[in-house]
Amino acid sequence: MSRKNLTVAGLITAAFTVVLLTFALRPAENVSQREAAAVPNPPQEKTLKKTALVQDVSATDHLNKVDVSKHLRTMLTETHGASPQDIAVYAKRLQQGHGHITMLMWIDFRAHTTKTFQSSLPEGTDQENKLLLKYLKTAKAALKGHQSYESPTFSIGKNKYYFMAQRDKTGNIGVIALINQKVLDRVAEHQLKNLRLIPYPKEGKYRVESVHTDTLSDITVKTGHDNENASHYYENEIVVRFQNGHPTKGQLQTIVADIHCKQPRKLGYAYIFRSEEKNYSQLKTYFVNKWHPAYTEPHYMYLTNDTTNEKPVGTVTPNDLLFSTYQWNLPAIETELGWNLSKGSKEVIVAVVDTGVQASHPDLQGKLLTGYNAITKGSTPDDDVGHGTHVSGIIGALVNNNEGVAGISWYNKILPVKALDNSGAGTTYSVAEGIIWAADNKAKVINLSLGNYADSQFLHDAIKYAYDRDVVIVSAAGNDNTERPGYPAAYPEVLAVAATNASLEKASFSNYGDYIDVAAPGDSIASTYPESQYAALSGTSMSSPHVAALAGLVRSLNPDLTNKEVMELMTKNAVDLGDPGHDKYYGWGQIDVLKTLQAASGSPVPLQLWPQHVRLQLNQLKQRLENNF
């Protein structure tokens, strides 16, 4: 495992920012193409971060509309034939658990009756009220015509709303919901601060000594694991990996025109092309002669007629509502195949030292332990920011419950520790206290999606305390696109995590440096959010819990491993990205759940995973040969 020279890092910390700025202003020819792509200049970085903010808000909007639609359908199903009193009880419970559902209107078309729950509509200007009533009328008309409905977003005062309407299968009952979209403003405000798009306190200012790095991002929610339009006719398909990573948009357009195909699907490093005219042999000749790829091969994946999933044999595919469409991050690190080896254990506790957690979130029920509040002693570790709830969901949101998202761990318990206040910041003392408390309360893994550039011996002592008690400590590298070491990630006892996007590239915001150990997905990650909602957030804060969750799976599978051995397993079995071996952008590479768990088990590969194992070994051998050549 590559570690850091802390003495030297401490001496140069004060001057390092100036050095980086000087380096950034050098002429472009002094920077390699690889580094120029990995490290955008300040104007580019600001543009990417603004794009990220818009994308995270947009993705959050989509996540919550899917979730609301599901709740309305469930309400219609579970209250079918129920008494008016039972329907009222159900509606009250739904609204209490989901504060963004401002109003529910129940319409019985047989009895020609309407019942409104929490009936007071928001009041705005005459024009705003007129628009609200117009959309409500349209929703009723849609239900009457046996159609579902979703209105455009409209404003009442400073708040944004939309109507959603669903009708049951019999056509006798309809329900209309008025939804407050305050979560979008909350995510936008969150991202403005944490993307550093608005001023944020520097070290020492306001006596804030340890500030969590939180969420940032760059590109898109789309994933190469989306197999919605999978074809049955594999004789017209080919899998291609290009020599120089990924083709440009213009090159893809040329290929599409040459072989008469639709836009290809991307799976990790490779692209799947389906031609309307050419068979596999013709496609191979075309790609080999014109594009000189790293490899080509037939599309061997099996697809049944009754599913749109195109998953290898042995893949565990959860039924969580948002998984297939939004959670690109889990397939990217081979989570579904890894679940064949370990789904976690309730005996192995993963602590989340953060802003707390929404204990009542429906997608975290049964996964949370009591926890601790280092900010307000004696209080429960409630989340008044959203960050800790999001991190906790990445680790352990309930799997296969038809609700929201799937966590990486099915069974590991989460120990929430509130060490950051309602601004998302905490002192060195509160963070150190949270780490020590977690170590003393049986945590085997601690996730720290927080950081600062100040090297605090006090905080380091807390890290050493937990490490000496055999705790695996994982921390986010930071989100300022800088090589300056961030702490606690840069301490040698901590596994430092950088962020990647869906194209297996360094996320534009991610910090980097020789202290980075591994990388993990951090771009528009869907997870749980306060008020029983879901949000897509980006940042190394989202990458770190992927690694912490994997550590929990490893320790569940092989409890005899020490913390050092667990960390080494994750680095040695990472998928090498960037330059061969360890590099400053990805460390040893992106974590791989399947490979790491195989190594941790020490047992032969399960029979159902043997084809994937052989393919992986061949590809790794081919890559090594190419690198040596």
Side-chain angles (χ1 to χ4, degrees):
M1 183 185 303
S2 177
R3 293 284 85 195
K4 10 315 186 200
N5 188 326
L6 293 179
T7 303
V8 175
L11 292 173
I12 67 171
T13 294
F16 202 69
T17 302
V18 176
V19 174
L20 285 178
L21 288 173
T22 302
F23 181 83
L25 295 173
R26 284 182 177 178
E29 59 268 21
N30 292 335
V31 184
S32 70
Q33 289 184 349
R34 179 186 297 277
E35 291 194 357
V39 188
N41 60 41
Q44 291 172 333
E45 183 180 348
K46 187 173 183 179
T47 299
L48 288 170
K49 287 180 176 181
K50 286 181 177 179
T51 302
L53 186 150
V54 172
Q55 288 188 159
D56 283 350
V57 171
S58 177
T60 299
D61 185 27
H62 289 299
L63 290 172
N64 281 279
K65 285 179 177 176
V66 171
D67 186 53
V68 168
S69 178
K70 181 254 184 183
H71 281 301
L72 297 187
R73 293 195 305 271
T74 301
M75 179 179 182
L76 289 168
T77 300
E78 295 190 359
T79 58
H80 180 72
S83 68
Q85 293 80 5
D86 288 340
I87 294 171
V89 169
Y90 188 100
K92 182 178 180 180
R93 185 172 67 247
L94 179 61
Q95 289 180 283
Q96 284 178 338
H98 300 79
H100 54 299
I101 303 179
T102 302
M103 181 209 73
L104 281 172
M105 181 176 289
W106 183 268
I107 304 175
D108 187 332
F109 291 98
R110 295 168 303 181
H112 303 287
T113 59
T114 298
K115 173 65 176 176
T116 305
F117 306 101
Q118 200 165 323
S119 57
S120 58
L121 292 172
E123 288 289 334
T125 65
D126 290 342
Q127 186 176 359
E128 289 172 341
N129 293 337
K130 184 178 179 180
L131 188 61
L132 180 149
L133 294 175
K134 173 188 171 182
Y135 288 137
L136 178 57
K137 182 178 179 180
T138 306
K140 292 178 179 178
L143 289 180
K144 191 173 182 180
H146 295 266
Q147 294 179 334
S148 58
Y149 175 74
E150 180 186 305
S151 78
T153 295
F154 57 91
S155 297
I156 302 291
K158 295 181 179 180
N159 296 319
K160 296 181 176 65
Y161 299 86
Y162 70 92
F163 281 106
M164 181 172 285
Q166 298 279 355
R167 191 158 177 166
D168 72 353
K169 293 181 179 180
T170 67
N172 296 322
I173 304 296
V175 62
I176 300 173
L178 176 63
I179 307 300
N180 187 324
Q181 292 187 288
K182 58 186 176 181
V183 66
L184 303 186
D185 291 334
R186 186 170 180 176
V187 167
E189 183 180 356
H190 196 171
Q191 293 294 69
L192 279 171
K193 181 180 71 173
N194 294 298
L195 286 164
R196 307 300 193 263
L197 289 170
I198 58 176
Y200 196 75
K202 297 179 180 179
E203 303 95 83
K205 192 173 184 182
Y206 308 126
R207 299 190 178 183
V208 175
E209 299 176 8
S210 180
V211 180
H212 79 64
T213 48
D214 212 72
T215 58
L216 324 177
S217 180
D218 70 333
I219 302 178
T220 179
V221 186
K222 293 181 180 178
T223 168
H225 297 274
D226 179 10
N227 300 306
E228 184 177 36
N229 299 312
S231 168
H232 298 283
Y233 301 98
Y234 292 99
E235 64 268 21
N236 296 100
E237 296 193 4
I238 188 169
V239 179
V240 181
R241 179 177 177 183
F242 295 87
Q243 287 281 8
N244 297 320
H246 303 285
T248 65
K249 184 177 180 180
Q251 290 172 329
L252 284 177
Q253 290 175 341
T254 299
I255 294 171
V256 167
D258 287 348
I259 67 174
H260 297 90
C261 73
K262 296 180 180 180
Q263 286 297 318
R265 285 164 290 155
K266 181 167 68 66
L267 289 164
Y269 298 104
Y271 291 78
I272 301 174
F273 295 90
R274 181 190 175 206
S275 173
E276 301 295 333
E277 301 176 348
K278 300 180 184 295
N279 60 29
Y280 170 73
S281 297
Q282 293 169 323
L283 289 170
K284 181 174 181 179
T285 299
Y286 164 79
F287 279 102
V288 169
N289 290 339
K290 186 165 183 174
W291 299 99
H292 310 291
Y295 67 79
T296 64
E297 64 184 26
H299 185 194
Y300 293 116
M301 289 185 175
Y302 178 73
L303 177 68
T304 61
N305 288 327
D306 60 353
T307 177
T308 58
N309 285 330
E310 194 176 87
K311 297 293 185 180
V313 177
T315 299
V316 179
T317 304
N319 62 18
D320 299 80
L321 182 67
L322 304 172
F323 175 79
S324 297
T325 305
Y326 294 100
Q327 289 191 267
W328 67 270
N329 48 313
L330 269 61
I333 58 174
E334 301 283 16
T335 307
E336 299 154 284
L337 288 168
W339 282 335
N340 286 281
L341 300 176
S342 175
K343 294 185 177 73
S345 165
K346 64 180 181 180
E347 304 302 323
V348 177
I349 296 170
V350 180
V352 176
V353 178
D354 212 291
T355 62
V357 69
Q358 182 201 339
S360 61
H361 199 292
D363 224 359
L364 293 171
Q365 295 307 295
K367 297 299 294 291
L368 302 171
L369 299 174
T370 302
Y372 179 70
N373 191 328
I375 301 297
T376 306
K377 302 301 181 350
S379 299
T380 55
D382 297 327
D383 188 1
D384 43 18
V385 176
H387 189 263
T389 300
H390 197 273
V391 168
S392 296
I394 294 171
I395 295 171
L398 291 171
V399 184
N400 264 356
N401 66 334
N402 287 294
E403 174 83 34
V405 296
I408 294 172
S409 166
W410 295 48
Y411 304 123
N412 291 100
K413 296 291 187 180
I414 297 171
L415 186 66
V417 179
K418 184 174 179 62
L420 306 179
D421 62 22
N422 59 10
S423 72
T427 65
T428 305
Y429 184 91
S430 65
V431 174
E433 182 184 5
I435 293 169
I436 292 170
W437 187 92
D440 286 343
N441 284 269
K442 302 182 180 179
K444 298 301 290 181
V445 181
I446 295 177
N447 183 79
L448 300 168
S449 288
L450 51 85
N452 201 348
Y453 298 107
D455 180 1
S456 162
Q457 186 59 50
F458 180 37
L459 180 60
H460 196 182
D461 284 344
I463 293 290
K464 291 176 182 177
Y465 180 90
Y467 185 82
D468 290 344
R469 281 152 183 77
D470 195 36
V471 178
V472 175
I473 309 165
V474 182
S475 181
N479 308 292
D480 295 309
N481 186 40
T482 177
E483 196 169 1
R484 181 182 181 185
Y487 300 93
Y491 293 129
E493 299 85 3
V494 178
L495 204 68
V497 186
T500 54
N501 59 28
S503 297
L504 296 181
E505 299 165 342
K506 171 190 172 295
S508 62
F509 55 80
S510 181
N511 286 1
Y512 55 97
D514 291 338
Y515 68 96
I516 298 296
D517 292 304
V518 291
D523 181 24
S524 287
I525 305 301
S527 186
T528 47
Y529 207 65
E531 296 191 9
S532 302
Q533 298 187 79
Y534 299 88
L537 299 179
S538 306
T540 57
S541 281
M542 282 62 253
S543 304
S544 182
H546 287 76
V547 182
L550 175 55
L553 296 181
V554 170
R555 305 206 89 165
S556 301
L557 179 65
N558 191 340
D560 295 330
L561 294 172
T562 66
N563 55 357
K564 182 179 180 181
E565 290 170 335
V566 173
M567 295 164 75
E568 289 178 346
L569 276 174
M570 290 193 286
T571 56
K572 288 180 179 178
N573 291 283
V575 176
D576 195 6
L577 302 176
D579 294 333
H582 186 275
D583 66 76
K584 64 183 180 181
Y585 298 116
Y586 307 99
W588 293 102
Q590 180 162 281
I591 59 167
D592 187 303
V593 175
L594 174 61
K595 285 179 61 181
T596 303
L597 292 177
Q598 286 174 343
S601 69
S603 60
V605 178
L607 181 61
Q608 70 268 32
L609 300 182
W610 185 253
Q612 289 78 19
H613 173 71
V614 173
R615 177 75 56 79
L616 182 64
Q617 296 300 314
L618 289 174
N619 288 342
Q620 288 176 337
L621 176 60
K622 185 179 294 184
Q623 185 176 359
R624 285 198 297 271
L625 291 173
E626 290 168 355
N627 291 335
N628 291 334
F629 181 77

